[in-house]
Amino acid sequence: ADSYALSIKECILNPGHTIKIVFNTIVDKGDFLIESMISTPLGWLNISTPVFIAYTFLFLILLTSMRDESQKEIVLFRVRDRIFIWLLAIITIGICVAAMLLYWTPKDSTVILGLQGRYFLPVLPMLALSLRNNAIVVRKNVEALVVSVTYVLGCCVIGGVWYQCLL
């Protein structure tokens, strides 16, 4: 960028401005962060896949994290463990956000620049598994369905990438 980035000192001395930038980023770029965490855009953000593929993959991740009623031996997390997992996730996401805020975002920007959803991908399985409980239970074995849909979606992504590369 052509201007200086925010410094740690400025973020600490002006927390209202920092919170406003983070809030604006969530509001303005939240959908992009979710979509880019799962499947679109790919590469250097120049290969797009349909948005429904990203949300279908996200739904499959959440579906597979729910306990199958026939799997009685699966250990569920205690509330204390869930709180710990969510704190780790928030800290990890906070570090990514802070890094882009301090390294990549110019002082005059209203949102955090350079932030992409793929930076949050390592946190996704942790959060999905922490949602497993006794209240929301998958009644049927859906493994075959999940594998089939994942295969079809993967083929759609590969086909779309090839199509865009050939243009």
Side-chain angles (χ1 to χ4, degrees):
D2 292 336
S3 64
Y4 291 106
L6 288 171
S7 67
I8 294 174
K9 179 181 177 183
E10 291 169 328
C11 290
I12 292 172
L13 292 178
N14 194 356
H17 179 67
T18 305
I19 291 171
K20 184 178 178 183
I21 290 175
V22 172
F23 180 76
N24 287 344
T25 303
I26 293 169
V27 171
D28 293 345
K29 294 189 171 204
D31 55 344
F32 168 76
L33 294 174
I34 291 172
E35 293 163 9
S36 65
M37 179 172 47
I38 305 298
S39 71
T40 187
L42 301 171
W44 293 100
L45 305 179
N46 58 355
I47 300 173
S48 63
T49 58
V51 174
F52 83 90
I53 290 178
Y55 286 105
T56 306
F57 274 132
L58 184 61
F59 173 75
L60 290 175
I61 289 169
L62 294 175
L63 178 67
T64 56
S65 71
M66 296 298 129
R67 184 175 68 87
D68 184 353
E69 193 173 61
S70 66
Q71 299 174 333
K72 302 292 184 197
E73 71 279 353
I74 289 184
V75 177
L76 299 175
F77 292 115
R78 298 179 303 231
V79 173
R80 180 180 66 203
D81 298 333
R82 291 171 202 255
I83 292 170
F84 181 71
I85 288 170
W86 280 83
L87 282 174
L88 281 177
I90 290 169
I91 290 169
T92 303
I93 291 169
I95 290 171
C96 292
V97 168
M100 289 295 111
L101 177 66
L102 297 172
Y103 177 70
W104 200 258
T105 305
K107 282 184 180 184
D108 58 347
S109 180
T110 59
V111 295
I112 299 171
L113 301 178
L115 195 59
Q116 298 173 29
R118 62 183 171 182
Y119 303 148
F120 309 134
L121 191 56
V123 177
L124 183 62
M126 239 179 10
L127 294 177
L129 288 176
S130 73
L131 297 176
R132 183 177 286 186
N133 58 51
N134 284 325
I136 302 173
V137 178
V138 176
R139 299 243 181 249
K140 295 182 179 182
N141 186 351
V142 293
E143 290 177 5
L145 174 68
V146 169
V147 168
S148 300
V149 172
T150 303
Y151 177 77
V152 169
L153 290 175
C155 290
C156 290
V157 170
I158 291 171
V161 169
W162 274 103
Y163 176 75
Q164 289 180 33
C165 289
L166 294 175
L167 289 180

